[in-house]
Amino acid sequence: MPLFNDLGLNLSSHRTQLLLTAATAAFATYSILSIHNSRSKAKRRADLANEINRAVASGTIPARTHPSPSSLLQFASGSEYSEELVREQLARNYAFLGEQGVSRVRRATVVIVGCGGVGSWAAVMLARSGVAHLRLIDFDYVTLSSLNRHATAALADVGTPKVQCVARALHAIAPFVQVDPRVELWRGGADGAELLQGADWVVDAIDNIGTKVELLAYCVQNNIKVFSSMGAGTKSDPTRIQIADLSATHYDPLARAVRQRLRAVLSRSERSSPPTPPSSDLSSSADADADDDPSSAPSPAPSTREYSLPVVYSSEVPSDDVTLLPLASSELAKGSVDELAPLRDFRVRILPVLGPLPAIFGLHIATYVLCELAGRPIERPLPVRHRKKLYERMWKDLLHRESRIAGKQINSLPLTTADIALLYDDFALGRSIVPPHSACVRPALVRWDPRAPLSLENCVVGEMKEVSRAMSRVFAMPDADAVYEDPLGFYEAQGYVDALGEPIDPARFKNGVVIWSSEEVWGVEAARVAQFRIAQARRLREWTLQ
């Protein structure tokens, strides 16, 4: 045949005949399997449709989006909503998180404090993802102004408690999820403890700073995992929204105020409690103010507890024309503005909010908590690129560190903030050089080779405590309260130079201190990564000079 002749195949060849037979058999098998799978899927879809129709006809699943309380009681427990339907509804989650991950989610309990624009969206997505138990806490009621951002509220819900509005919608979406709505204001003490009982995670979506700090402090002191939402008001740029530790937030006035007040509350609590032995590996993440110069910040007290507090916030700086809406003169004539608040210390003036922004905040929260519950945590989210203030802080921190090494004040560095951004975002990808190369909560920079001046090729990124260890071991410049692990032996630090390449007198280094290389301090894997990043920087420099 011409086709086979063109392909160089000889039909009289036994080998060619075997190949054609095998290809024909494979095609026939594939066709049979495709037809079988297609018919099986069609049958499963028909069976599922029949089961749902029977459930709707029997009243197990309500036909309306917002069922009345009487019809809600018929399916609130989800006992008649079969496991097959649940698994079909969560099919995408099972495909993504696996059997074990979804099983963890379906056993979990999440408490959401605040069911407004942020909390309602977090609640909806956690319920859609199959979280077994949701407790909703909010004392507030749905108003007309809530409808521009609330996940479940409709006109018919105006004047009803927000938690009941969300609960009705969640039962209609996922009747197998147990929802416990509480029309209450969260406060510390026995009542507050009871509301958080059994929580695997707590979501803080409170818009009042006093209650927010009280809740966060309670969770930190009682080792309850909590995720907090910062301010979504007056913001409009969704690309600036990110997840970070509270200590690493920038340009968010609410985050700064929460950080400062929380630090004060925890400090008072520690002073009033019996003293405890200091930890051998203390983190200053809880006390560090990312908006302050780290070189002037005091060292944390030895008794400061280490804690991680993930938050969602926006680094956007609002424009000057976005302000609180003014109160009517008739309201001002009634007396003190604070007296107009529904509760003491609660805001009374309307904060401008674009509806999509709180929704994005809530979706960030739900995604983070869902991954944590499923055992697939977002280890440490990579901070957003191009944060000028972060790069300036890292530059000042490096300047202070190099001045200590030189033994004199250095007024400038051979690296700019643009170079810092390149090092941190493009070379290091926001991750530490030290295994397991986690994304940095408090990133810091240090020279890799003390015998070479500071440059793109001779600067690495690490966590603050890891860089402090290198300062202690490589440069013999420990923090004031640092303790050497190996105070035996000594050799001179010959050939050490400062950031600008000027020689450093070896007599400056402390006697009785072992001076290690960076590889000895951080390990062979860190050295391998350092050499790779040095090669990256060298290639970039050569490329820019072409």
Side-chain angles (χ1 to χ4, degrees), residues 244-328:
D245 189 83
L246 177 63
S247 64
T249 54
H250 296 267
Y251 299 118
D252 189 323
L254 177 60
R256 183 187 303 112
V258 169
R259 189 165 57 235
Q260 293 170 349
R261 292 196 188 189
L262 181 60
R263 182 189 310 161
V265 170
L266 294 177
S267 297
R268 286 197 301 269
S269 176
E270 288 179 357
R271 287 196 299 268
S272 62
S273 61
T276 56
S279 170
S280 59
D281 183 22
L282 296 172
S283 168
S284 59
S285 63
D287 285 354
D289 191 333
D291 293 312
D292 297 334
D293 183 357
S295 62
S296 61
S299 300
S303 60
T304 300
R305 287 188 53 189
E306 178 182 1
Y307 67 88
S308 175
L309 209 167
V311 302
V312 58
Y313 81 106
S314 170
S315 60
E316 177 186 359
V317 178
S319 58
D320 296 335
D321 58 344
V322 179
T323 59
L324 288 170
L325 297 184
L327 283 172

Side-chain angles (χ1 to χ4, degrees), residues 4-22:
F4 292 103
N5 292 333
D6 292 341
L7 295 176
L9 296 176
N10 185 4
L11 291 178
S12 62
S13 169
H14 180 64
R15 182 177 179 180
T16 302
Q17 292 174 357
L18 287 176
L19 289 173
L20 290 175
T21 302

Side-chain angles (χ1 to χ4, degrees), residues 176 243 268 275 414 483 521 539:
F176 52 90
I243 295 173
R268 286 197 301 269
V483 178
V521 172
R539 285 195 298 269

Side-chain angles (χ1 to χ4, degrees), residues 262-430:
L262 181 60
R263 182 189 310 161
V265 170
L266 294 177
S267 297
R268 286 197 301 269
S269 176
E270 288 179 357
R271 287 196 299 268
S272 62
S273 61
T276 56
S279 170
S280 59
D281 183 22
L282 296 172
S283 168
S284 59
S285 63
D287 285 354
D289 191 333
D291 293 312
D292 297 334
D293 183 357
S295 62
S296 61
S299 300
S303 60
T304 300
R305 287 188 53 189
E306 178 182 1
Y307 67 88
S308 175
L309 209 167
V311 302
V312 58
Y313 81 106
S314 170
S315 60
E316 177 186 359
V317 178
S319 58
D320 296 335
D321 58 344
V322 179
T323 59
L324 288 170
L325 297 184
L327 283 172
S329 56
S330 59
E331 295 293 333
L332 291 172
K334 295 179 181 179
S336 172
V337 172
D338 291 339
E339 294 176 0
L340 303 178
L343 292 170
R344 183 177 178 82
D345 297 330
F346 273 68
R347 60 178 173 82
V348 295
R349 297 171 68 186
I350 297 176
L351 192 68
V353 180
L354 285 182
L357 271 293
I360 299 173
F361 272 53
L363 299 181
H364 273 68
I365 295 173
T367 304
Y368 186 96
V369 172
L370 177 63
C371 290
E372 286 282 337
L373 292 173
R376 296 185 57 173
I378 305 171
E379 186 178 352
R380 281 180 184 171
L382 181 65
V384 73
R385 293 167 55 90
H386 309 311
R387 293 193 305 183
K388 182 180 178 182
K389 198 161 189 176
L390 171 64
Y391 307 142
E392 290 174 349
R393 179 187 69 77
M394 294 175 69
W395 188 92
K396 291 179 182 178
D397 183 33
L398 181 60
L399 178 67
H400 173 71
R401 192 172 293 113
E402 288 293 347
S403 296
R404 289 180 58 202
I405 294 171
K408 61 183 180 181
Q409 180 61 43
I410 296 179
N411 297 320
S412 184
L413 294 174
L415 297 180
T416 65
T417 53
D419 294 327
I420 301 298
L422 185 68
L423 276 168
Y424 182 63
D425 284 325
D426 294 277
F427 293 169
L429 301 179

Side-chain angles (χ1 to χ4, degrees), residues 16 34 83 113 145 150-151 179 188 193 196 233 237 288 323 336 347-348 376 381 389 449 460 470 485 496 517:
T16 302
S34 298
E83 177 64 16
V113 187
S145 65
H150 201 274
V179 183
L196 303 185
D237 186 354
T323 59
S336 172
R347 60 178 173 82
V348 295
R376 296 185 57 173
K389 198 161 189 176
D449 183 0
V460 294
E485 298 174 12
Y496 274 33
S517 69

